[in-house]
Amino acid sequence: MAGKFQVRFLEDAAKFLDNLDEKAREKIYYNIQKARFSSDKELFKKLKGEIWEFRTLFNRTHYRLLAFWDKTGKTEIVVISTHGIIKKRDKIPPGEIGKAENLRKLYFEHKKN
C-alpha cells in the first residue's frame, strides 16, 4: 500500500533532519510514515492557510516539519516539507509560518516554469 500521499523534502527540511541525532530523526521519519496512512492530527495537522505541520514528540522535545500540499500531479498527491524547527512555545512562531508560505510560493513559481 502506497499511503495517502508521498512526502518530499526541500533543502532546508533535509538539512534540519540531517543535523538531528539519529534516534530523533528515525522517530520523525516513523511518524511521517504513520501520517501517510492515517488521519491522526497528533501526527499531521493544518496550521494556517495552506501550511501544515508534521508533529513529533521525542524525549520531551517537540519537532515540527512545516509542509504544504502539491495536488497538481496527474497521479500522485505530494506533501512538500519546507523546513523544520524545534518548538519551544505553545504556538508555532508566525515567522516560521511565513517562511513556509514563502517557500510554497517559490516552489509553485519554479514548478510552473
Side-chain angles (χ1 to χ4, degrees):
M1 190 166 160
K4 296 177 183 181
F5 53 83
Q6 297 298 315
V7 179
R8 304 276 187 273
F9 301 97
L10 296 183
E11 185 178 353
D12 286 356
K15 282 182 184 175
F16 174 78
L17 290 166
D18 286 346
N19 288 324
L20 296 176
D21 74 61
E22 185 179 351
K23 290 198 181 290
R25 185 172 47 250
E26 286 175 3
K27 178 68 174 185
I28 292 168
Y29 284 137
Y30 174 78
N31 281 354
I32 289 171
Q33 283 300 101
K34 277 178 61 177
R36 291 181 56 226
F37 292 94
S38 72
S39 296
D40 186 346
K41 288 187 191 269
E42 290 301 311
L43 298 174
F44 189 54
K45 178 181 165 188
K46 186 171 189 171
L47 282 177
K48 177 184 173 204
E50 300 295 323
I51 305 303
W52 291 64
E53 66 177 345
F54 287 105
R55 304 160 53 98
T56 298
L57 174 60
F58 180 72
N59 281 348
R60 296 189 308 236
T61 302
H62 296 267
Y63 298 93
R64 299 294 186 262
L65 282 172
L66 281 70
F68 60 88
W69 293 86
D70 178 355
K71 299 180 182 179
T72 60
K74 295 201 184 326
T75 57
E76 67 179 355
I77 297 172
V78 181
V79 172
I80 308 296
S81 179
T82 59
H83 67 291
I85 62 170
I86 294 175
K87 191 173 134 196
K88 295 182 167 85
R89 296 181 201 91
D90 285 344
K91 294 192 175 193
I92 300 291
E96 299 296 342
I97 294 172
K99 179 178 179 177
E101 289 170 336
N102 288 336
L103 289 168
R104 179 183 180 275
K105 181 180 167 193
L106 289 171
Y107 171 86
F108 282 113
E109 285 174 0
H110 183 263
K111 187 174 180 177
K112 194 167 51 174
N113 296 329

